[in-house]
Amino acid sequence: MTQDPLVIFTPSGKRGRFAVGTPVLTAARQLGVDLDSVCGGRGICSKCQVSPSYGSFSKHGVTVAEGALSDWNKVEQRYDDVRGLKPGRRLGCQATVQGDVVIDVPAESQVHRQVVRKAASARAVTMDPATRLAYVEVAEPDMHVPTGDFERLKTALAEQWDITDVTADLAILARIQPVLRKGAWKITVALNQPAEGAAHRIVDLWPGFFEGPLYGLAIDLGSTTVAAHLTNLVTGEVTASAGIMNPQIRFGEDLMSRVSYAMMNPGGDAEMTRTVREALDTLAREIAAEGAIDPAHIVETVFVCNPVMHHLLLGIDPVELGQAPFALAVSGALEMSAAELGLTALSPGARSYILPCIAGHVGADAAAVALSEEPEKSEDLVLIVDVGTNAEILLGNTSRVLACSSPTGPAFEGAQISSGQRAAPGAIERVEIDPDTKEPRFKVIGCDLWSTDPAFAEATAATGITGICGSGIIEAVAEMRMAGLLDPSGLIGGPDKTGTPRSEPQGRTFAYLLHNGTAEGGPRISVTQGDIRAIQLAKSALYAGARLLMDEMGVDTVDRVVLAGAFGAHISPKHAMVLGMIPDVEISRVSSAGNAAGTGARIALCSRAARARIEAQVRRITKVETAIEPRFQEHFVAANAIPHATAPYPNLRSLVPLPQVSFNAGSSGDDGGNRRRRRRPA
């Protein structure tokens, strides 16, 4: 008895025997091979291109003859004439099996093509978006078969794509008839299936054949900034990225002040919800324009945010998050219409997915960081710190993962700093201070030259030197400590003790002059004692949160540290450790993950499997509540010192000088302690 031909697909290696005349696309589907098709095998979309190989394949134990596939047909010829096929390529829906054959599926024909999401770790994510296109041909209406156009569309989807259980919102139902007639009963629909086994929802439709691409928005909704990434749902590539300040800042810079605003002002929560939704809708329009696409082609959004922002986005009063036991109204992942969130700039049927929250003060942004960095897969003990207005901290390995949040405030993002500003051209982002001369040099965003370079003034003429951003203030304070301008308690020394006139009196304290641009009509940029205190409070909260997790884990050290956050990629590990933001570890074991929450949002946008994975993972993460832990205050106070009052920091001390200076009142008569002097009697 003659066996059916053997079909072997590469690079997957999947194989099976199929009857003569079986289309290659059909064989691929039956074997579960990644071979794309939008048109349902009609030879329209060309997504199913394959490359047959001929000759002897000892590895596979087959010899492929020239007639292994059917002859080139008219459909393939028509497509080649109009759009062109690469030499040797065939359309999988048209070529049929005639004999043993080895077929290569090129990368562009793979449904789940591999896309590198993070260059730092060269990690690939399998594309499995919730929204896909399907081209169908719908039966025309018949007086003798009185069914609606939507019902006949569902029948066509079932027959041509094996897609059943299809729903559509009213806005889509209202468009079906004109679109079907314009397309002469041929239609392309965008179907959203949020999870395997869930119902399909039609989110958009086009007359005739439409091959996209479709887009999604991955949005990291932070307390201070909102970052969005316009992502191609076919390739996973980021078409455009944009960020704006969160307009809710006017109601309070930190989360608890916004909760307080909602408590103290009737309707305050609704006001904050309206404000952020309007900003998101504007951002969607702007990022679509930047990406040169029609915003109607944005069919999906994924949000990550902390619990307070989560509730305000959803229109839920966050008052319960302001008091123990910090109860969330809803903690699980959510899937809804984007229009329900006020996103009117997108496709009318666009869907939104919000990652799950871990606990009352550890939100969907922390879940996104966990999705991006995968601490549960780490063999060594990793501390992941997402630096922002409200820091999310994860500590874990393959045995256990812990999480907490810490109220660092907006100082790390340039707010509450005398010359602080957001990261923008002209902002000081790098600082070095000569320990001998106490003279500074710096770099600003938009220029690669140091300020001591003769060409610096000309290179920065357009932007000017406008202020100092988060990474700049971190480096400035750390450099001041290493140069002996700042003592371990955080006091700035006066000129008689530091030996530099840059230590200028400012009321009862001193400030360090970093740049004087008044001669050119620019600002004087100094690091004041108030700036130091703001940074101390922020970094102490950060360290104390990390230390609580280490206590819970029963360890005094970690193996490595990952810095994440909107400016995590710009924080110098050495300066972060001098400041005492993070526990002591070998500098080489400190890395940056950039905006890991945003990366996690993009992963969830591109992969339904990733959504299922993080939804399961958050239930396994142990939450530590900093607000009620008695040792938090103890750790916080000890962390006020720079780098720390009691932790020895041996790795750091072997690398950099930490002068043991003291500028307190009464210590060698230094005027740096003027802030503590008693007033003279009147």
Side-chain angles (χ1 to χ4, degrees), residues 25 29 37-45 48 93-94 135 160-161:
L25 179 59
R29 285 176 172 170
S37 174
V38 170
C39 70
R42 292 173 175 81
I44 298 174
C45 72
C48 63
C93 63
Q94 301 301 310
Y135 171 83
Q160 297 168 35
W161 286 93

Side-chain angles (χ1 to χ4, degrees), residues 400-629:
R400 192 182 183 202
V401 177
L402 310 176
C404 75
S405 68
S406 206
T408 51
F412 286 147
E413 296 181 339
Q416 297 180 344
I417 302 299
S418 59
S419 298
Q421 67 165 88
R422 63 175 301 192
I428 295 173
E429 64 170 343
R430 297 289 313 281
V431 177
E432 287 184 357
I433 299 175
D434 188 301
D436 298 320
T437 65
K438 316 300 184 191
E439 285 297 298
R441 68 173 189 160
F442 52 83
K443 286 184 177 181
V444 300
I445 296 174
C447 178
D448 291 330
L449 303 176
W450 286 99
S451 57
T452 49
D453 191 296
F456 178 80
E458 182 180 351
T460 57
T463 62
I465 302 163
T466 54
I468 188 165
C469 67
S471 61
I473 192 66
I474 287 171
E475 293 199 9
V477 175
E479 287 284 328
M480 289 171 67
R481 177 70 181 89
M482 289 188 286
L485 297 164
L486 190 70
D487 72 12
S489 72
L491 280 174
I492 301 173
D496 58 333
K497 289 299 179 183
T498 61
T500 175
R502 287 185 177 274
S503 290
E504 300 178 332
Q506 190 177 74
R508 301 174 64 194
T509 61
F510 293 95
Y512 177 74
L513 179 63
L514 196 58
H515 169 70
N516 186 358
T518 53
E520 298 82 29
R524 281 175 63 91
I525 300 174
S526 298
V527 180
T528 69
Q529 193 63 65
D531 297 339
I532 300 293
R533 292 302 183 219
I535 291 296
Q536 281 180 290
L537 291 173
K539 75 98 177 182
S540 297
L542 193 63
Y543 181 93
R547 185 64 235 193
L548 274 182
L549 297 188
M550 292 164 68
D551 290 348
E552 178 70 21
M553 191 69 82
V555 299
D556 291 319
T557 59
V558 299
D559 296 318
R560 60 187 177 96
V561 176
V562 176
L563 293 172
F567 62 96
H570 303 287
I571 297 176
S572 156
K574 179 181 77 173
H575 292 95
M577 201 169 295
V578 169
L579 200 60
M581 289 173 61
I582 55 177
D584 185 62
V585 69
E586 290 182 24
I587 292 293
S588 63
R589 302 284 286 166
V590 183
S591 62
S592 168
N595 185 5
T599 299
R602 295 205 322 270
I603 292 171
L605 180 63
C606 293
S607 172
R608 295 180 302 170
R611 298 182 188 184
R613 192 163 64 248
I614 195 58
E615 287 173 21
Q617 175 63 12
V618 296
R619 294 192 289 270
R620 295 190 289 265
I621 295 175
T622 301
K623 167 64 167 53
V624 175
E625 181 52 68
T626 57
I628 59 174
E629 283 287 339

Side-chain angles (χ1 to χ4, degrees), residues 53-366:
S53 300
Y54 300 94
S56 179
F57 298 87
S58 57
K59 175 183 176 182
H60 302 302
V62 297
T63 297
V64 182
E66 282 296 329
L69 292 182
S70 59
D71 293 338
W72 183 264
N73 69 15
K74 292 181 180 179
V75 174
E76 290 173 299
Q77 186 62 54
R78 184 177 67 243
Y79 185 87
D80 189 39
D81 291 341
V82 175
R83 302 183 67 176
L85 276 173
K86 291 181 181 179
R89 291 279 181 90
R90 299 290 303 273
L91 296 182
C93 63
Q94 301 301 310
T96 62
V97 176
Q98 301 297 317
D100 293 349
V101 65
V102 175
I103 296 173
D104 182 64
V105 180
E108 60 267 32
S109 298
Q110 294 174 24
V111 178
H112 305 109
R113 67 196 62 171
Q114 300 296 299
V115 178
V116 175
R117 292 288 167 201
K118 244 180 58 182
S121 59
R123 180 158 51 84
V125 174
T126 300
M127 290 299 296
D128 178 30
T131 305
R132 300 177 185 275
L133 293 173
Y135 171 83
V136 290
E137 296 179 2
V138 181
E140 296 186 30
D142 185 338
M143 289 178 59
H144 303 291
V145 185
T147 57
D149 286 354
F150 178 51
E151 284 69 27
R152 280 180 282 104
L153 172 57
K154 289 199 294 182
T155 299
L157 284 167
E159 292 175 347
Q160 297 168 35
W161 286 93
D162 196 27
I163 293 173
T164 57
D165 195 8
V166 177
T167 64
D169 293 336
L170 183 58
I172 295 295
L173 293 175
R175 294 175 53 207
I176 286 178
Q177 289 195 316
V179 171
L180 273 173
R181 282 150 183 82
K182 185 176 181 181
W185 309 102
K186 299 175 179 64
I187 186 172
T188 304
V189 296
L191 292 162
N192 178 276
Q193 186 188 35
E196 284 288 348
H200 289 79
R201 182 186 298 271
I202 299 175
V203 297
D204 212 338
L205 31 80
W206 298 265
F209 176 69
F210 173 76
E211 61 178 338
L214 298 180
Y215 294 89
L217 278 180
I219 301 174
D220 178 9
L221 176 55
S223 310
T224 304
T225 57
V226 184
H229 305 284
L230 179 65
T231 306
N232 186 312
L233 292 181
V234 177
T235 65
E237 295 174 354
V238 176
T239 302
S241 294
I244 57 170
M245 296 295 287
N246 187 330
Q248 291 179 340
I249 284 178
R250 69 174 184 261
F251 304 109
E253 288 188 321
D254 58 74
L255 296 175
M256 286 303 102
S257 62
R258 291 181 207 174
V259 173
S260 176
Y261 182 86
M263 289 178 173
M264 303 298 292
N265 298 274
D269 59 312
E271 186 180 3
M272 286 187 282
T273 294
R274 183 176 63 255
T275 298
V276 76
R277 287 181 176 180
E278 289 173 354
L280 288 168
D281 207 36
T282 300
L283 178 60
R285 288 188 174 89
E286 291 175 352
I287 201 170
E290 183 179 335
I293 71 156
D294 184 346
H297 291 171
I298 302 175
V299 295
E300 195 168 3
T301 65
V302 167
F303 284 95
V304 300
C305 39
N306 61 57
V308 172
M309 295 311 309
H310 175 275
H311 278 37
L312 289 173
L313 171 66
L314 291 171
I316 299 172
D317 191 335
V319 61
E320 292 298 330
L321 295 172
Q323 56 199 358
F326 314 110
L328 288 156
V330 56
S331 60
L334 296 171
E335 197 271 336
M336 65 192 67
S337 163
E340 291 181 75
L341 300 177
L343 298 177
T344 60
L346 316 183
S347 167
R351 306 298 295 174
S352 289
Y353 175 81
I354 303 175
L355 269 70
C357 291
I358 296 174
H361 279 165
V362 185
D365 48 359

Side-chain angles (χ1 to χ4, degrees), residues 16-36:
R17 293 193 178 274
F18 295 89
V20 171
T22 302
V24 170
L25 179 59
T26 300
R29 285 176 172 170
Q30 291 184 16
L31 290 174
V33 172
D34 281 345
L35 182 56
D36 205 354

